[in-house]
Amino acid sequence: MPPKRGIVEISDYERQRQEKIAANQALLRQLQLEAASAGLAPTKPKKASTPTTSGSAKRKKPAPNIKEEVVPRRTSSRLKGIVADSEVAQRKAEEEAEAFQEAQRIKRQRVSDDLNLGDVVVAGRSWSQSGNFPSLVGPARPGERTFSAQELKDTSDKELRALREKMGGMELWQGFEPNRIKITPERIYSMGFHPSEEKPLVFAGDKLGDLGLFDGSQGIPQVKVEDDEEEVDDDDPAITTFKIHTRTISAFQFSPHDSNALYSASYDSSIRKLDLAKGVAIEMYAPEDKDADEPLSGVEMSRENPNMLYFTTLSGQFGYHDIRAPPNNTGGTALLQLSEKKIGGFSLHPAHPHFVATASLDRTLKLWDLRKISGKGENRLPALVGEHESRLSVSHAAFNSAGQVATASYDDTVKIYDFSACGSWKPGHELSDEEMKPATMVPHNNQTGRWVTILRAQWQLQPQDGIQRFCIGNMNRFVDVYTSTGQQIAQLGGDGISAVPAVAQFHPTNDWIAAGTASGKLCLWM
């Protein structure tokens, strides 16, 4: 109690409050005595910390309303009179451990019901069709460039010099610095643009199943500051985040047949269709057993068949599912075991989608032909056109529209393979080891470690000038851009990039690049 500053008359309310405090303290002492009689000494109460107040009050934006997860609460064995190391204490610990594991299982369990976007907004603005969407090598050295401005000019090729000047002239979005554009709550694993050319609409999937949406055409709010007030920057960019999966969103793709349909694959073993026109996320594929743990590593839809979804799993399977069948209907799904180890990523040839390139933890890039599938049951396999083995694991494989495949590997290279002649191959065509060798190898530091998302080379799907190019994150906190011949044409950076922009993606047609970091921040170059 603070010292009295004179004689103060105590009200009835204050007298009752003090009596209640005294009664509670007496009860606490009684409980401690009972615990001591059971063989447990009471612990010494900790001193309460004294709150501090700042000298000057500053305006602060209100704290976000974050929903706390409800988990089983631990209870005190001492207050219950349970002797330590007894059978009762052991049984109590086992029950609490089981309750915790069950809570974790429920938290990660796949949700099969349709999700209305208005019900799964976890951050940012509430969903509305008009408001959120349109109508239609060596250790990392942060900040140290590996491609200088002089190298942009050092070429006698006029076309290459013009391309370098154009791509090198891209700048970070001017609205806010990247460290303020938190598009997802957790680490970004997948990134992409809506195909609209009217404005940059960026989507990002994170570690916990959240999908973030950022509109790069939004204006910067102007706040008038009075003369007698300090300037306080309380405004943040408008971002909307939805919880559409219960685990990592490993990949997503906008349907080539419907620009309002986004298909997302997740470690929760499911594929969902996010219908932006209707504002609902629908489960399109999932294992028959709801408790099955079959994490998905990729998803893609054929440009020829609008009803067929293709996907890969972390257990080495390649699958396809007819979306006209129920999500867990085994008759509409086929699973092929292409690898004994994790398939990190796959890609369909844009013009000839029966050719599939897969990259695996077994250190191989493999090219398959779905026109010829042999074997029965679990032994069914498509025809293997050829394979190439790297020194270390291959993280991802990506086709461009010209039939070239780019891979990123932990042997610190980006390899470019040329399969441009595949349109003339008949079913069963095989390539020799010599023909499967990469046409180009680019040295590139791909040692992401544990806390940075794996680097992947991603092509621009339909470049307007016809020059094939891809982007990939740089461990020195840049994004590198290369042509299909391995020539570097840009290294994008800027102020405010506080982490590695590991997950980089081109817009399908416009020269826009988005990249995401392990802290859920977005970098956007235009």
Side-chain angles (χ1 to χ4, degrees), residues 219-436:
I220 307 171
Q222 300 293 331
V223 180
K224 183 179 179 181
V225 180
E226 300 296 336
D227 295 338
D228 57 346
E229 292 182 354
E230 295 182 7
E231 184 173 354
V232 180
D233 192 0
D234 282 345
D235 297 293
D236 286 322
I239 294 170
T240 304
T241 309
F242 311 104
K243 182 78 170 179
I244 61 173
H245 287 281
T246 59
R247 296 174 66 184
T248 302
I249 299 177
S250 54
F252 61 80
Q253 180 206 28
F254 278 95
S255 168
H257 312 283
D258 180 6
S259 61
N260 281 331
L262 181 150
Y263 290 91
S264 57
S266 171
Y267 286 2
D268 67 9
S269 310
S270 72
I271 297 174
R272 280 189 172 273
K273 173 188 175 182
L274 179 63
D275 191 326
L276 294 164
K278 298 179 180 179
V280 62
I282 308 166
E283 185 175 84
M284 303 303 293
Y285 164 78
E288 187 175 6
D289 181 5
K290 189 174 181 179
D291 293 325
D293 187 18
E294 300 176 7
L296 306 183
S297 59
V299 63
E300 200 165 327
M301 175 172 277
S302 167
R303 294 183 173 275
E304 290 185 349
N305 189 343
N307 297 313
M308 197 65 69
L309 277 177
Y310 298 86
F311 57 91
T312 51
T313 74
L314 296 188
S315 58
Q317 291 182 316
F318 172 81
Y320 47 92
H321 175 76
D322 192 328
I323 62 176
R324 292 169 294 188
N328 54 5
N329 182 279
T330 54
T333 306
L335 292 172
L336 310 174
Q337 191 73 43
L338 301 189
S339 173
E340 295 181 357
K341 295 185 178 181
K342 163 187 172 182
I343 294 179
F346 81 103
S347 180
L348 305 177
H349 191 301
H352 309 286
H354 47 269
F355 289 112
V356 182
T358 60
S360 174
L361 192 62
D362 65 7
R363 304 181 297 175
T364 63
L365 163 77
K366 294 181 180 180
L367 185 64
W368 308 86
D369 189 345
L370 298 178
R371 293 176 297 179
K372 184 179 179 180
I373 298 179
S374 57
K376 295 182 180 180
E378 296 181 354
N379 296 320
R380 295 175 70 237
L381 283 177
L384 178 62
V385 179
E387 65 177 292
H388 179 262
E389 184 173 340
S390 295
R391 187 172 57 85
L392 295 173
S393 66
V394 185
S395 305
H396 184 63
F399 260 114
N400 67 9
S401 57
Q404 297 165 305
V405 172
T407 66
S409 173
Y410 269 92
D411 63 6
D412 286 340
T413 62
V414 174
K415 303 180 181 70
I416 303 172
Y417 302 79
D418 188 1
F419 303 128
S420 56
C422 65
S424 61
W425 298 345
K426 296 180 179 179
H429 183 86
E430 294 184 5
L431 295 178
S432 65
D433 292 344
E434 186 67 26
E435 291 173 313
M436 279 297 299

Side-chain angles (χ1 to χ4, degrees), residues 207-221:
K207 181 179 180 179
L208 297 183
D210 301 294
L211 183 73
L213 165 59
F214 173 78
D215 181 355
S217 67
Q218 62 185 271
I220 307 171

Side-chain angles (χ1 to χ4, degrees), residues 153-223:
K153 305 175 183 178
D154 289 345
T155 178
S156 58
D157 188 330
K158 294 181 179 180
E159 186 179 56
L160 178 60
R161 185 187 297 116
L163 182 59
R164 284 179 170 176
E165 290 176 355
K166 181 175 70 170
M167 299 301 299
M170 296 173 64
E171 295 182 350
L172 279 174
W173 187 69
Q174 298 297 313
F176 294 89
E177 288 190 349
N179 55 20
R180 294 191 56 193
I181 311 176
K182 190 169 177 62
I183 190 171
T184 61
E186 294 291 336
R187 185 205 297 194
I188 294 174
Y189 274 73
S190 51
M191 176 75 67
F193 282 91
H194 184 272
S196 169
E197 297 181 354
E198 298 175 2
K199 57 182 179 179
L201 294 169
V202 184
F203 290 75
D206 79 355
K207 181 179 180 179
L208 297 183
D210 301 294
L211 183 73
L213 165 59
F214 173 78
D215 181 355
S217 67
Q218 62 185 271
I220 307 171
Q222 300 293 331
V223 180

